Amino acid sequence: QVQLVDSGGGLVQPGGSLRLSCVASGSALGNYVMGWFRQGPGKEREFLATIDWNGRNTYYADLVKGRFTISRDNAKRTVSLQMNNLKPEDTAVYYCAAARGWSAYDKGYDWWGQGTQVTVSS
């Protein structure tokens, strides 16, 4: 069992940057593949990025490649998403999530953070 708490969202201008964090409690973070997702108004939840148990392998959705970077620090029990060159279409609630395996990049996430709002607007 793992509990996840997201933070770091807020209001940012187009072209700006934000760093989201996810802090885990309970089971060791190294037991889980971690991912980031988002859900905009009236849209389905979409996959953004994932990172494996020790951080050696990552995979990104095409829409964020080159702009977003996922990282983890198992000792500090944190997963981060660095977001650069933000665009208005990035406005959404962002969620971190945990999975025990990596059979598919965007599947198998059974534990979720509460979500943090990111708004990109001038």
Side-chain angles (χ1 to χ4, degrees):
Q1 183 76 16
V2 63
Q3 301 291 123
L4 306 174
V5 179
D6 306 307
S7 65
L11 176 64
V12 64
Q13 293 181 313
S17 298
L18 283 174
R19 186 176 180 87
L20 306 182
S21 295
C22 174
V23 179
S25 62
S27 186
L29 190 63
N31 292 335
Y32 301 93
V33 170
M34 299 299 296
W36 284 96
F37 296 74
R38 71 186 183 191
Q39 187 167 20
K43 298 180 179 179
E44 295 183 350
R45 182 182 295 158
E46 62 182 346
F47 166 79
L48 300 175
T50 189
I51 187 167
D52 72 356
W53 299 266
N54 57 15
R56 292 185 178 272
N57 297 287
T58 59
Y59 178 80
Y60 296 90
D62 287 342
L63 75 164
V64 302
K65 284 181 179 177
R67 297 193 299 126
F68 291 9
T69 302
I70 188 170
S71 61
R72 68 190 297 160
D73 187 331
N74 289 344
K76 295 184 177 180
R77 305 178 68 85
T78 60
V79 179
S80 298
L81 185 69
Q82 178 67 45
M83 306 186 295
N84 298 325
N85 192 26
L86 285 161
K87 307 176 185 297
E89 53 264 41
D90 294 320
T91 296
V93 178
Y94 285 69
Y95 301 88
C96 68
R100 293 300 297 268
W102 202 354
S103 59
Y105 300 123
D106 60 345
K107 300 293 192 301
Y109 296 91
D110 293 327
W111 300 272
W112 296 81
Q114 82 286 353
T116 184
Q117 176 71 48
V118 173
T119 302
V120 184
S121 176
S122 60

